[in-house]
Amino acid sequence: IDVNITGPAWEWMNNEAGYQHYNTNRAVGYRFLQVHWNEDYTVGEIWNCKNTQEPNCQQMCKGLSLKIHRQTPPEGACPPAKDASKEDVTKCAKFIRTSSYNF
């Protein structure tokens, strides 16, 4: 799956840090995120790309791993209560992103 991260409809990180990230990606030429899924689409690894051709894609930086994991909410957890904590609301998301650093 290719996701245009510098297109006019981009709103994944709609905050100040997101705008800085957007500007940095535009400046260095990165235009797409590419998700490399496992066979059953339960885990996807996120790569940064200058275009959608596989040889031009790379992991964000050496030692950094960004993944998305499909999750199954606990029985009765969704929809969350109006006053639910952020942690409880997050349990209802279909996917969750994890980051790990292996330096």
Side-chain angles (χ1 to χ4, degrees), residues 2 8 10 12 15-16 20 27 36 39-40 52 54-55 57 64-65 71 75 78 82-83 88-89 93 98 100 103:
D2 296 325
W10 183 245
W12 179 41
N15 57 35
E16 186 174 337
Q20 291 172 359
H36 295 256
E39 277 187 31
D40 61 357
T52 58
E54 183 78 28
C57 295
L64 173 63
S65 175
Q71 62 179 5
E75 185 81 25
C78 301
K82 287 184 181 183
D83 60 347
D88 287 339
V89 171
T98 59
S100 60
F103 297 108

Side-chain angles (χ1 to χ4, degrees), residues 21-83:
H21 186 76
Y22 171 91
N23 290 333
T24 300
N25 278 325
R26 295 233 359 137
V28 298
Y30 287 115
R31 298 289 188 260
F32 295 91
L33 291 181
Q34 197 170 69
V35 182
H36 295 256
W37 292 100
N38 67 350
E39 277 187 31
D40 61 357
Y41 293 90
T42 56
V43 178
E45 187 169 19
I46 302 169
W47 290 25
N48 212 351
C49 308
K50 290 189 176 186
N51 62 48
T52 58
Q53 302 304 312
E54 183 78 28
N56 294 312
C57 295
Q58 60 187 11
Q59 291 177 313
M60 298 293 183
C61 66
K62 191 172 182 129
L64 173 63
S65 175
L66 298 177
K67 294 185 178 181
I68 54 176
H69 301 265
R70 186 168 54 199
Q71 62 179 5
T72 304
E75 185 81 25
C78 301
K82 287 184 181 183
D83 60 347

